[in-house]
Amino acid sequence: MSSSLSTALRGTPDRTRLTPLLRLLILTQLAFNVGFFAVLPFLSEHLGTAVGMVGWMVGFVLGLRTFSQQGLFVVGGALADRYGIRPVVLAGCALRIAGFAWLGYAEATWAVIGAVLLIGFAAALFSPAVESEVARQAVVHEEEGGGSRTRVLALFTVAGQAGAFVGPLLGALLLAVDFRSVCLAGAGIFVLVLAGHAWLLPQHIPGRQRVHVKGGIRVLVRNRRFLALCCAYGAYLLAYNQLYLALPAEVERATGSQSALAWLFALSSLLVVTAQLPVTRWVGHRLALRRSMMAGLLLIAAGFAVVALARPAGWTGTAGLLPAAGFVVLLTLGQMLVAPVARAWVPDLAEEGRLGLYTGALSSVSGLIVLVGSSLTGTLLDSGLPAAVPWLVLAAVPAAAIALLPRRP
């Protein structure tokens, strides 16, 4: 764990310490991502080589995992509102353990699909439950003079990114044995998370009301300000998804291989882990939520524009990687502003008692936007248009999303 993360969790003399529940939930995000990213980066290679799936089937299976996770976040959030976060988180951990263990032994296509769906649905249970409670506790923390809610959610982002950085390193070490060992290690991490939460997570959290699931969706779809935030956040996620679509194509063009991608991904992760909290602290003294998101979306648009301006020159080799590196840096800086702020904004827009539903809907709606948008982006990148045009179009997406941001009352 980074020193900035551990220091922030302990608290500083000039700030109220985080509550034990907030520390537990933030460390939960770290553990979730260590376990998940120990397995995910190596899944497609396993499916293609060990299981023998053809390319389209590998893509289909990976898409199913994303759908069973992001698409069902709204379900997990609604269940957390109805039954509280403890049973939902524990059930999600149990399903993730079963899914990873099943995946480690799965050899037939149907078994792989079943395991992947279980893994995705597990996250659809525990992630919105944890995220919504962190957001709620962050608001309480702010109201009690403990510091900005955005700072708490930035810390949550750092914990997740630290886990995403450590997880693949652990998986790569275990892959020297076999993929089954990687899956069982991921399951083992979630066994520890399950045991820790069964012991430490309160049966009842003060101030959290339980509401019936019925009627929540009907009110949500009439909440125009919240849906506007979802669309703007979806535009950000679509732009961020280009790390996995447009960036690899650009790196391949510039260097003839994708070996430099690992370094660019590491650069992004290290930026978040080391700079997220200072950036949030600096911005928090100067910008409100809406202006912070505006600045983040503009930075992301600037990242695409950097590549668009450089593409006509046709640089290759090390020089050709410089625009890609600039894109990664600007995109990551934009992410630091947009992601915590969007989560911090949801409690202001959510119906009383339904923060879980709204937190889940933020991911589900934006995930649907990414699903549709990624197909269009793939078509755009293969369209044969002048080299700069696709990147300029992609730059216009986050820039246009600024107009969608709701105004705070």
Side-chain angles (χ1 to χ4, degrees):
M1 187 188 306
S2 71
S3 59
S4 61
L5 177 57
S6 57
T7 299
L9 284 172
R10 289 195 304 270
T12 55
D14 61 328
R15 290 185 180 273
T16 304
R17 289 175 177 267
L18 296 181
T19 63
L21 178 57
L22 267 175
R23 288 199 298 271
L24 172 65
L25 295 174
I26 289 169
L27 289 173
T28 294
Q29 181 70 355
L30 174 69
F32 280 172
N33 278 9
V34 170
F36 180 66
F37 284 99
V39 178
L40 182 66
F42 312 103
L43 179 57
S44 61
E45 178 69 16
H46 171 73
L47 296 180
T49 56
V51 180
M53 289 185 179
V54 296
W56 72 266
M57 179 59 75
V58 173
F60 176 71
V61 170
L62 295 179
L64 279 179
R65 187 209 64 79
T66 301
F67 172 77
S68 63
Q69 180 172 322
Q70 294 290 123
L72 297 179
F73 260 45
V74 65
V75 175
L79 291 175
D81 290 337
R82 177 66 182 89
Y83 299 105
I85 72 167
R86 178 184 166 89
V88 178
V89 169
L90 296 182
C93 288
L95 290 179
R96 177 58 66 84
I97 293 165
F100 274 160
W102 188 5
L103 182 62
Y105 287 91
E107 296 180 354
T109 298
W110 68 267
V112 170
I113 290 175
V116 165
L117 288 173
L118 198 59
I119 289 168
F121 182 61
L125 291 179
F126 57 64
S127 286
V130 170
E131 290 176 14
S132 63
E133 188 57 33
V134 169
R136 197 179 73 83
Q137 292 294 325
V139 172
V140 174
H141 187 70
E142 182 178 63
E143 291 173 347
E144 294 178 350
S148 165
R149 72 177 81 172
T150 307
R151 175 180 173 272
V152 175
L153 289 156
L155 188 57
F156 186 75
T157 299
V158 171
Q161 197 66 50
F165 183 74
V166 173
L169 300 179
L170 174 63
L173 289 174
L174 293 171
L175 200 61
V177 182
D178 57 18
F179 183 74
R180 180 174 298 169
S181 298
V182 176
C183 290
L184 294 179
I189 291 171
F190 277 90
V191 168
L192 296 176
V193 174
L194 177 62
H197 282 67
W199 178 259
L200 296 172
L201 200 57
Q203 292 279 358
H204 174 70
I205 299 173
R208 187 173 186 113
Q209 304 174 4
R210 298 186 180 184
V211 298
H212 290 290
V213 174
K214 186 178 180 180
I217 294 291
R218 185 169 59 252
V219 175
L220 185 151
V221 297
R222 293 202 300 264
N223 189 332
R224 294 183 179 179
R225 297 179 69 239
F226 173 72
L227 293 178
L229 177 64
C230 289
C231 291
Y233 190 70
Y236 146 71
L237 281 181
L238 177 60
Y240 186 80
N241 196 56
Q242 301 315 307
L243 284 174
Y244 310 102
L245 188 59
L247 180 63
E250 175 63 13
V251 170
E252 179 80 30
R253 181 205 64 80
T255 65
S257 75
Q258 295 189 8
S259 58
L261 271 178
W263 295 101
L264 292 174
F265 288 154
L267 172 64
S268 177
S269 295
L270 288 173
L271 275 173
V272 174
V273 171
T274 59
Q276 176 73 75
L277 294 179
V279 166
T280 301
R281 190 179 303 117
W282 185 86
V283 171
H285 294 304
R286 293 163 176 81
L287 300 178
L289 295 180
R290 187 174 189 274
R291 290 186 176 181
S292 181
M293 282 197 72
M294 288 173 62
L297 290 168
L298 283 174
L299 283 171
I300 293 169
F304 287 103
V306 165
V307 180
L309 292 173
R311 280 295 276 116
W315 295 336
T316 58
T318 302
L321 285 176
L322 292 178
F327 164 70
V328 169
V329 170
L330 289 169
L331 181 68
T332 305
L333 289 173
Q335 174 197 4
M336 292 182 201
L337 296 180
V338 172
V341 167
R343 294 193 185 101
W345 206 339
V346 172
D348 293 341
L349 302 175
E351 181 188 0
E352 183 70 25
R354 297 192 185 275
L355 184 54
L357 173 66
Y358 280 71
T359 300
L362 179 68
S363 293
S364 293
V365 174
S366 56
L368 180 60
I369 291 171
V370 172
L371 180 63
V372 175
S374 292
S375 300
L376 297 175
T377 301
T379 303
L380 178 66
L381 292 171
D382 293 334
S383 64
L385 291 169
V389 172
W391 289 88
L392 287 174
V393 173
L394 289 169
V397 172
I402 293 173
L404 298 174
L405 291 173
R407 296 188 178 276
R408 300 194 77 189

